[in-house]
Amino acid sequence: MKIAIIGTGFGALAAAFDLSKVKGNQIEMLEANDSAGGLVAGFKEKNWEWAFEEHYHHAFDTDKALKKFLSELGLRDQLIYKRAKSSTLYNGKLHQIDSPISLLKFKEISLFSRLRTGAVLAFLKILPNGVLLEKFTASRFLQMTMGQEAWRVIWEPLFTSKFGRFRDRVNLSWFWARVNPRTAALGYFNGGFKRLADLIVQKLKDVGVKVFFSTKVQSIVKEGNRLVLTTVDKSGKQNIENYDLVISTLASPIFSKIIDLPELKQENLAGLGAMTMLLRLKKKLLKDGTYWLNINEKGWPFVAIVEHDNYISSEHYGGESLVYLGRYLEVSDPAYQKTTTELLADYKPFLKKLDPHFEQNLIEAKLFKAPFAQPISFVNQSRFLPKFKTSEKNLYWVCMQHVYPFDRGINHAIKSARKLAKYVRMENSKL
Ligand SMILES: Cc1cc2nc3c(=O)[nH]c(=O)nc-3n(C[C@H](O)[C@H](O)[C@H](O)COP(=O)(O)OP(=O)(O)OC[C@H]3O[C@@H](n4cnc5c(N)ncnc54)[C@H](O)[C@@H]3O)c2cc1C
């Protein structure tokens, strides 16, 4: 069978790995970018030993599907786990809040609010299945259980800056999925996740999978029993190929640009884009050792600062401090069109509050945009989940919108894609 897999993100790589085990399968991976990894794609500066992701990434200790996949690839020992400090910027100060003890020490809210917050988080941590919570909105539930004070100080600023107009529509299962699998130790791939993606591509090529980079799929059309894909390369040259079976790993707004299917138009498949600014600095921005900083101050234009070198040593990056500024927004927001220079000008006054010498320390700012980076989990989302099988025969689909109640994650991309590969094999007995 001739199979096309659209994309080379971790979902696509995992599906290709499983389907390549079946004798007689001819697999072609078609990727718009010039390298693999999808949202976890990375790059390497000349003076760096390790590659680095365009958007911040780490794994949790609970990421079983990722660990299993790495074991099968013979790469499990390369996933390293280390504790990393998380803090919250509130009232001009950094407060470590990443454990029950540190929450208890957070004196910006009353002891009663801290205890209520801790109790609700503990409940969500032990609840094994969060889908049951999907009929509640997270904002209402948190206000009712943790109280107004904890909501106002700890959660409201994050929900507002992450979800914008969707803030009060996000369901409680989403919040459960953020709390439940979280571990104090975070995982990172030795050499960077780009190295992992490149190693998998090499292993796939070794077993005969063809991987085409800079090959953007423009359209999928049905012709008899086959699916015809038109692709375009960097020079604008078009190519037309037909396949017995096609797997798309694109989120609905991107997928719908290449084929018109009713299931791609559902309102509950909404999502946000991401704009991640990466700062290469001569010195640390967060001097207290914080890796992840939630921004709970009003008016700040980003939701989190992630100082990678407070987690993975800067010695792998030529001694540079690497800091991400994370932001989510709708792609229709005019801010999404801003350039690196425009955005840096907006961000500078805030960065100077953390380090008055920020400008002298800046080597370079880079901006990375992802048009679909964060699905929104609405109330009763499970009733509207997309299926693996599309309404077009022999066209299958797996992406971030399939991993509910989780919203995204390398681990979940791998898990769902392997489920899809199994499903495809069952449906097509020849495989
Ligand atoms: C800012 C940010 C931070 C994140 N942090 C974490 C984290 O800490 N830990 C974690 O586990 N996960 C994290 N994630 C989520 C994680 O990156 C994703 O869940 C996961 O990578 C999704 O993989 P995927 O294969 O489903 O899709 P994608 O990675 O989106 O892959 C889709 C692929 O399709 C390609 N493509 C698109 N259009 C076309 C076309 N027309 N033709 C051909 N190819 C096309 C794309 O280039 C891409 O390679 C983060 C995501 C973002 C945006």
Side-chain angles (χ1 to χ4, degrees):
M1 247 195 187
K2 191 173 167 196
I3 302 173
I5 300 181
I6 308 176
T8 56
F10 277 88
L13 295 172
F17 179 76
D18 284 352
L19 292 172
S20 69
K21 286 186 184 150
V22 182
K23 273 201 181 134
N25 273 351
Q26 225 185 307
I27 301 173
E28 297 190 353
M29 302 189 77
L30 310 170
E31 169 57 56
N33 284 339
D34 56 9
S35 63
L39 287 170
V40 201
F43 64 99
K44 192 154 135 351
E45 295 292 335
K46 279 193 190 117
N47 58 325
W48 296 355
E49 182 202 353
W50 284 16
F52 194 59
E53 296 71 46
E54 295 176 354
H55 304 275
Y56 37 92
H57 274 85
H58 53 246
F60 294 127
D61 208 15
T62 44
D63 284 351
K64 285 191 197 148
L66 170 64
K67 288 180 179 177
K68 184 169 180 288
F69 188 44
L70 292 182
S71 298
E72 289 173 40
L73 290 161
L75 297 169
R76 173 64 187 87
D77 60 329
Q78 310 259 338
L79 185 67
I80 43 184
Y81 279 90
K82 277 175 78 176
R83 225 197 120 94
K85 180 174 172 182
S86 289
S87 304
T88 294
L89 180 69
Y90 182 71
N91 259 348
K93 276 195 285 183
L94 271 69
H95 307 265
Q96 180 171 3
I97 313 182
D98 55 4
S99 67
I101 302 283
S102 57
L103 174 63
L104 271 178
K105 289 184 185 162
F106 181 57
K107 298 218 171 100
E108 300 285 340
I109 57 174
S110 67
L111 179 62
F112 183 52
S113 294
R114 280 175 260 162
L115 290 171
R116 282 172 80 176
T117 303
V120 176
L121 292 174
F123 163 71
L124 295 173
K125 201 90 195 127
I126 55 168
L127 189 74
N129 184 350
V131 180
L132 302 169
L133 305 171
E134 69 172 5
K135 51 179 175 292
F136 307 106
T137 62
S139 65
R140 198 164 148 68
F141 181 88
L142 298 186
Q143 287 175 70
M144 280 169 58
T145 56
M146 295 182 181
Q148 285 303 323
E149 191 187 29
W151 167 251
R152 186 177 43 77
V153 174
I154 303 180
W155 308 111
E156 187 185 17
L158 299 178
F159 271 75
T160 306
S161 71
K162 181 144 189 179
F163 290 111
R165 72 186 170 103
F166 296 110
R167 184 189 81 178
D168 296 324
R169 295 184 64 196
V170 174
N171 75 20
L172 186 58
S173 300
W174 174 82
F175 191 73
W176 169 87
R178 299 300 283 193
V179 172
N180 189 274
R182 196 159 286 270
T183 52
L186 302 180
Y188 194 70
F189 196 75
N190 199 329
F193 284 107
K194 174 183 164 46
R195 179 171 165 256
L196 171 59
D198 290 346
L199 285 170
I200 301 173
V201 166
Q202 193 49 56
K203 282 180 189 278
L204 291 172
K205 284 184 175 170
D206 291 346
V207 294
V209 175
K210 290 185 182 153
V211 186
F212 298 97
F213 291 114
S214 305
T215 302
K216 186 174 180 174
V217 178
Q218 279 187 317
S219 67
I220 305 176
V221 178
K222 181 100 187 177
E223 241 180 58
N225 255 344
R226 294 172 75 80
L227 291 163
V228 180
L229 267 61
T230 303
T231 57
V232 61
D233 70 12
K234 254 188 189 166
S235 66
K237 197 173 139 231
Q238 273 193 339
N239 187 45
I240 297 173
E241 280 293 326
N242 58 59
Y243 299 89
D244 299 305
L245 196 148
V246 175
I247 296 172
S248 164
T249 64
L250 316 182
S252 60
I254 306 169
F255 193 14
S256 62
K257 287 191 180 139
I258 60 177
I259 189 165
D260 186 18
L261 298 175
E263 57 267 48
L264 303 179
K265 291 179 184 147
Q266 290 191 58
E267 198 238 339
N268 70 309
L269 291 181
L272 299 169
M275 261 178 136
T276 304
M277 181 170 277
L278 168 65
L279 305 173
R280 296 173 58 198
L281 299 170
K282 291 180 207 153
K283 288 186 185 154
K284 285 183 190 296
L285 182 72
L286 305 180
K287 302 193 173 37
D288 74 333
T290 292
Y291 161 65
W292 186 284
L293 182 67
N294 284 322
I295 306 296
N296 287 37
E297 301 279 32
K298 282 220 165 73
W300 281 52
F302 38 82
V303 65
I305 298 180
V306 185
E307 175 123 18
H308 184 75
D309 54 298
N310 279 337
Y311 168 43
I312 301 294
S313 168
S314 64
E315 71 188 22
H316 303 298
Y317 312 99
E320 292 176 19
S321 289
L322 299 175
V323 175
Y324 294 106
L325 310 175
R327 178 171 181 178
Y328 298 86
L329 69 181
E330 289 177 78
V331 290
S332 55
D333 187 323
Y336 189 77
Q337 302 309 327
K338 286 196 176 183
T339 63
T340 317
T341 313
E342 289 166 337
L343 218 56
L344 188 61
D346 293 349
Y347 290 0
K348 256 182 206 166
F350 299 94
L351 295 167
K352 279 185 179 170
K353 287 185 191 176
L354 294 168
D355 177 7
H357 306 293
F358 159 74
E359 277 179 283
Q360 290 95 297
N361 287 330
L362 182 67
I363 301 166
E364 190 191 8
K366 287 178 185 282
L367 182 62
F368 300 101
K369 297 182 187 181
F372 192 96
Q374 174 67 63
I376 314 256
S377 301
F378 294 105
V379 166
N380 295 325
Q381 180 81 3
S382 67
R383 294 186 197 164
F384 310 99
L385 291 186
K387 303 209 164 37
F388 285 151
K389 194 175 173 165
T390 69
S391 50
E392 188 65 86
K393 197 167 174 237
N394 298 329
L395 177 59
Y396 295 84
W397 180 32
V398 65
C399 74
M400 256 190 281
Q401 290 155 314
H402 290 76
V403 307
Y404 184 79
F406 301 94
D407 58 345
R408 58 183 200 182
I410 304 172
N411 180 64
H412 305 296
I414 292 169
K415 190 174 169 186
S416 310
R418 300 193 83 177
K419 251 194 200 168
L420 170 104
K422 204 171 163 189
Y423 177 78
V424 166
R425 285 177 69 168
M426 268 166 42
E427 276 234 314
N428 300 270
S429 47
K430 275 189 249 155
L431 293 179

